[in-house]
Amino acid sequence: MHIKVFAIAGKPAAWLVESEQRYIKRLPRAWAFEMALLPPSRKQGEADQRKTDEWERLRKRIPNAARLILLDERGKSLTSRQVADSLGVHKDQGGDLILAIGGPDGFSEAARAAASEIWSLSS
């Protein structure tokens, strides 16, 4: 299984990059993992315009056959065990899995409609 994480975010702090590398090493060897940062929208105006711009840039990076899971505070609240179980199901189904972390304004309605699932990892 290939897992890609896309985050709408600026350049991360060094400690975050170090932590990311440590956690990547813990993943099963059969899982290919990639993380990419997309800068937040610089569009002026309403939050909806920024969310739409971010979604359009993100959408272009998602392969057609990939399953998209948005990580959003308004998503379904999952425990660590439930996340692990769900990842196991996705692994068994094969294909690419995209986890997307939204920008400061969250996700557009178009992004939410395109997602296979929306998870909240904490309240």
Side-chain angles (χ1 to χ4, degrees):
M1 175 168 72
H2 193 160
I3 299 174
K4 295 180 184 180
V5 176
F6 291 110
I8 306 294
K11 185 178 178 183
W15 66 267
L16 183 59
V17 174
E18 183 181 316
S19 297
E20 171 191 333
Q21 293 305 313
R22 193 172 332 130
Y23 280 100
I24 289 172
K25 289 178 184 177
R26 295 180 183 182
L27 292 173
R29 296 227 184 264
W31 294 11
F33 182 86
E34 175 186 344
M35 179 148 184
L37 300 178
L38 300 170
S41 177
R42 294 180 186 218
K43 288 197 181 278
Q44 300 297 316
E46 299 294 319
D48 285 344
Q49 293 172 320
R50 290 188 297 276
K51 291 189 288 188
T52 297
D53 177 56
E54 291 166 353
W55 168 240
E56 288 302 316
R57 289 186 291 120
L58 175 61
R59 185 180 56 81
K60 291 176 184 174
R61 309 256 329 248
I62 300 173
N64 287 336
R67 284 183 303 283
L68 172 63
I69 297 175
L70 302 182
L71 303 179
D72 183 275
E73 65 184 5
R74 295 184 297 154
K76 179 181 176 184
S77 184
L78 299 175
T79 65
S80 295
R81 180 78 256 158
Q82 289 170 317
V83 169
D85 290 345
S86 186
L87 289 175
V89 168
H90 288 293
K91 178 184 71 78
D92 292 344
Q93 292 172 347
D96 288 345
L97 178 63
I98 307 297
L99 301 174
I101 303 167
D105 299 312
F107 289 104
S108 69
E109 289 306 314
R112 297 176 75 76
S116 300
E117 299 176 55
I118 305 173
W119 295 351
S120 173
L121 300 181
S122 67
S123 55

